[in-house]
């Protein structure tokens, strides 16, 4: 059933001094240099003007991000052509990202995203839980089309790269509060430390930056009204979820340390977290299929009168979910494991806990063989704990509810060599990504008398080697680019699917495995993906290019 549409309400009041200017959103395909300030991008690992870049890319700088109130990837797509991002499932933290029709519809743990998300160069491995607050965003760029010779992970749809602000090296404290409709309250804190000199044998320096964000808002859908719409009179023994649907309760923070070891080596360490605890979206049954099992005219009509709550006028008639559970919990099958009993509660909530650690080390070199080049190492370790619950029937009756409980972790290591020798620009890269996780997907129906459970584990390892060369000639007006990538991946998964038979009198249950415990699969993939491009600077404000690019995504297991 479709979810209720809602509109995110922008911040209404800021307790800070603001200067209103039109945000400078710029596109490589459509801009006039006489009208827009020059914007520098790094989509090809080196700084270049957006106007000169032979890429389909959209970029937003710090002023645009602040002006538009962008905090996560879900806020971006309104301002980027050919990009559509929506949340999946019952909450707001799953992403379904579509660039030019390339999309991964089902964000399961065994499947990789079609569009890569990067935070300070670190790949976000799963679409599940990928919509989270990134405090202190400074720059966002969206590159369309297959990406393999510039980004660590090979993707077929494109890449979204987000970059956070670094320490300024001067003491700063900034506190901003905000208030909006539906009792929205926000708080943002920024603290910069002064630079500390002489950390290692009198050499080197370090500066720190701390940022925190908090947001809390009442539900978009009033739970009291939804409870009244159930039609259950007071004193009948039935209770309803009157908490409402689609609220906001999130907090995020980040600590960044920037350091210089000597005149050659520099680096950053960033720890970030994002936590969400929210009420699920409101689902409402809009119609019952004629002569279907829920139609009272059907010869074998079900005892559950769902048709009474079917209404296409969803917003005014939405009913509290799982209202058939009374205060004494008489409908809760205590013989089932706890994860099933969770779905039989009326007060359902979704949670997300993301933890990120990233360390970057950089050194500049210059020699006769490779010219001027920069070596960069990016190491990262991320974890995610995710839980969502969905009452999928969209009525006050306990017909069908499901949940996903996911634990996930990933490690990645990337080495980059970006340089220039005479009229040749080049990039070499080596990328390794390892991830593992498990997903428990219990499903409970008909007051707990139909129970299923799917448990999946996944472990994936990916190794990629990539390079790209651009030969610049005709006084740097013509660029000839060739590149390629080889990807080697191994994927493992195991799955158990259990069905419980429930005695409707004693609640005793027997179980059997439709997919036996220990069912496993393992596959390996290898693929070379080339690219080629010609670009010509026809005039100072006219850049013409054509490219052939291939991408690759290995096949998933059905989890």
């Amino acid at each position: 059933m479709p979810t209720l549409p809602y509109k995110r309400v922008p911040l209404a009041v800021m307790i800070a001094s603001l200067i209103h200017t039109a945000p400078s959103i710029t596109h490589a395909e459509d801009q006039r240099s006489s009208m827009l300030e020059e914007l520098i991008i790094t989509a090809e690992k080196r700084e270049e003007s957006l106007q000169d870049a032979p890429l389909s890319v959209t970029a937003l700088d710090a002023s645009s991000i602040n002006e538009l109130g962008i905090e996560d990837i879900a806020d971006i797509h309104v301002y980027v052509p050919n990009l559509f991002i929506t949340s999946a499932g019952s909450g707001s933290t799953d992403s379904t990202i579509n660039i030019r029709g390339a999309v991964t519809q089902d964000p399961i743990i065994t499947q990789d995203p079609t569009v890569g998300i990067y935070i300070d160069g670190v790949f976000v491995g799963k679409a599940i839980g990928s919509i989270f607050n990134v405090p202190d965003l400074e720059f966002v760029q969206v590159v369309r089309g297959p990406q393999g010779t510039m980004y660590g992970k090979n993707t077929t749809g494109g890449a979204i790269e987000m970059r956070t602000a670094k320490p300024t090296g001067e003491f700063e404290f900034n506190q901003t509060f905000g208030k909006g409709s539906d009792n929205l309250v926000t708080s943002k804190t920024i603290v910069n430390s002064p630079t500390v000199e002489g950390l290692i044998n009198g050499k080197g320096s370090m500066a720190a930056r701390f940022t925190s964000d908090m947001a809390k808002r009442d539900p978009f859908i009033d739970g009291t009204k939804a409870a009244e719409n159930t039609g259950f009179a007071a004193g009948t023994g039935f209770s309803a979820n009157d908490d409402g649907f689609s609220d906001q309760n999130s907090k995020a923070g980040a600590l960044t340390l920037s350091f210089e070891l000597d005149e050659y080596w520099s680096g950053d360490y960033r720890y970030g977290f994002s936590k969400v605890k929210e009420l699920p979206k409101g689902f409402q049954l809009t119609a019952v299929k004629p002569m279907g099992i829920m139609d009272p005219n059907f010869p074998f009509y079900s005892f559950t009168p769902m048709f009474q709550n079917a209404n296409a006028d969803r917003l005014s008639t939405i009913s509290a979910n799982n209202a058939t559970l009374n205060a004494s919990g008489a409908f809760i099958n205590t013989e089932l494991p706890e994860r099933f009993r969770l779905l039989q509660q009326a007060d359902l909530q979704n949670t997300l806990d993301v933890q990120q650690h990233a360390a970057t080390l950089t050194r500049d070199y210059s020699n006769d063989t490779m010219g001027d080049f920069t070596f960069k190492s990016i190491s990262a370790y991320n974890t995610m704990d995710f839980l969502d619950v969905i009452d999928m029937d969209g009525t006050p009756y306990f017909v069908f509810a499901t949940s996903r409980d996911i634990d996930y972790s990933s490690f990645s290591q990337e080495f980059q060599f970006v340089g220039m020798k005479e009229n040749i620009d080049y990039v070499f890269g080596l990328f390794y990504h390892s991830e593992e996780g498990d997903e428990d997907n219990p499903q409970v129906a008909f007051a707990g008398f139909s129970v299923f459970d799917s448990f999946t584990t996944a472990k994936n390892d990916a190794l990629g080697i990539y390079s790209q060369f651009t030969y610049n000639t005709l006084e740097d007006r013509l660029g000839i680019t060739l590149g390629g990538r080889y990807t080697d991946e191994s994927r493992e998964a195991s799955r158990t699917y259990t069905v419980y038979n429930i005695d409707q009198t004693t609640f005793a249950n027997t179980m059997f495995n439709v997919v036996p415990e220990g069912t496993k699969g393992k596959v390996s993939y290898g693929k070379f993906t080339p690219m080629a491009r010609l670009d010509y600077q026809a005039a100072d404000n006219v850049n013409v290019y054509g490219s052939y690019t291939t991408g690759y995504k290995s096949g998933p297991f059905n989890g």
Side-chain angles (χ1 to χ4, degrees), residues 416-476:
Q416 300 173 359
F417 298 85
V418 181
M420 177 180 65
K421 180 175 174 58
E422 297 176 350
N423 56 346
I424 296 178
D425 298 328
Y426 61 86
V427 173
F428 292 103
L430 178 65
F431 175 76
Y432 173 74
H433 185 258
S434 178
E435 62 182 2
E436 59 182 18
D438 57 71
E439 176 178 351
D440 190 15
N441 180 208
Q443 305 154 45
V444 181
F446 298 106
F449 293 114
S450 296
V451 179
F452 314 90
D453 188 24
S454 174
F455 184 78
T456 304
T457 66
K459 186 180 187 305
N460 305 318
D461 293 291
L463 180 66
I465 302 173
Y466 60 88
S467 64
Q468 182 171 307
F469 296 84
T470 299
Y471 175 68
N472 301 295
T473 186
L474 299 181
E475 299 180 344
D476 289 341

Side-chain angles (χ1 to χ4, degrees), residues 43 45 118 141 143 147-153 159 161 466 485:
K45 304 302 182 189
Y118 296 84
Q141 57 189 9
V143 187
Q147 302 298 318
T149 60
M150 282 295 165
Y151 289 90
K153 183 68 173 176
E161 185 176 0
Y466 60 88
R485 176 194 183 96

Side-chain angles (χ1 to χ4, degrees), residues 301-416:
Y301 164 63
S302 167
F303 68 90
T304 307
M306 293 175 62
F307 68 94
Q308 294 179 355
N309 293 86
N311 197 311
D313 185 11
R314 297 179 295 169
L315 190 58
S316 63
T317 61
I318 186 169
S319 302
N321 293 350
N322 290 359
T324 55
L325 304 179
N326 61 19
S328 65
F331 290 101
I332 297 178
N333 186 346
T334 57
E335 298 296 323
L336 290 171
E338 175 64 28
R339 62 182 181 275
F340 296 106
R341 297 201 297 272
L342 169 70
L343 295 177
Q344 297 172 280
Q345 313 297 320
D347 52 345
L348 307 178
Q349 283 194 325
N350 301 330
T351 60
L352 174 69
D353 186 350
V354 175
Q355 309 279 329
Q356 302 170 309
H357 300 267
T360 302
L361 194 61
T362 304
R363 175 168 175 168
D364 294 328
Y365 289 88
S366 181
N367 58 47
D368 294 337
T369 303
M370 299 184 66
D372 298 325
F373 70 97
T374 298
F375 164 79
K376 178 181 285 189
S377 168
I378 305 174
S379 308
Y381 177 74
N382 298 332
T383 64
M384 176 189 67
D385 293 321
F386 173 93
L387 173 68
D388 75 345
V389 285
I390 311 174
D391 182 357
M392 298 190 69
D393 54 84
T395 74
Y397 300 98
F398 188 15
V399 179
F400 187 74
T402 184
S403 170
R404 292 177 298 167
D405 188 353
I406 298 172
D407 293 320
Y408 171 84
S409 64
S410 68
F411 169 79
S412 64
Q413 175 63 55
E414 184 172 6
F415 298 111
Q416 300 173 359

Side-chain angles (χ1 to χ4, degrees), residues 238-359:
F238 293 101
S239 62
N241 172 14
D242 59 1
D243 292 331
F245 304 94
S246 299
D247 67 340
Q248 183 177 5
N249 185 6
S250 64
K251 57 183 178 180
L255 172 65
T256 303
L257 305 177
S258 293
F259 54 88
E260 293 185 2
L261 300 178
D262 54 31
E263 59 182 315
Y264 302 107
W265 291 95
S266 62
D268 300 286
Y269 167 76
R270 181 180 184 273
Y271 165 72
F273 74 89
S274 181
K275 296 186 177 184
V276 177
K277 186 176 183 181
E278 63 182 9
L279 294 165
K281 298 175 183 176
F283 288 74
Q284 173 64 28
L285 181 68
T286 59
V288 171
K289 181 180 179 181
M291 295 305 293
I293 190 172
M294 297 302 174
D295 185 346
N297 297 315
F298 184 62
F300 304 101
Y301 164 63
S302 167
F303 68 90
T304 307
M306 293 175 62
F307 68 94
Q308 294 179 355
N309 293 86
N311 197 311
D313 185 11
R314 297 179 295 169
L315 190 58
S316 63
T317 61
I318 186 169
S319 302
N321 293 350
N322 290 359
T324 55
L325 304 179
N326 61 19
S328 65
F331 290 101
I332 297 178
N333 186 346
T334 57
E335 298 296 323
L336 290 171
E338 175 64 28
R339 62 182 181 275
F340 296 106
R341 297 201 297 272
L342 169 70
L343 295 177
Q344 297 172 280
Q345 313 297 320
D347 52 345
L348 307 178
Q349 283 194 325
N350 301 330
T351 60
L352 174 69
D353 186 350
V354 175
Q355 309 279 329
Q356 302 170 309
H357 300 267

Side-chain angles (χ1 to χ4, degrees), residues 24 49 65 80 86 106 118 130 174 177 216 238 262 264 292 319 349 367 433 437 454 512 544 549:
S24 57
S49 169
I65 292 169
V80 178
T86 186
D106 190 8
Y118 296 84
S130 61
N174 185 287
F177 296 99
K216 191 173 181 63
F238 293 101
D262 54 31
Y264 302 107
S319 302
Q349 283 194 325
N367 58 47
H433 185 258
S454 174
F512 66 94
V544 181
T549 309

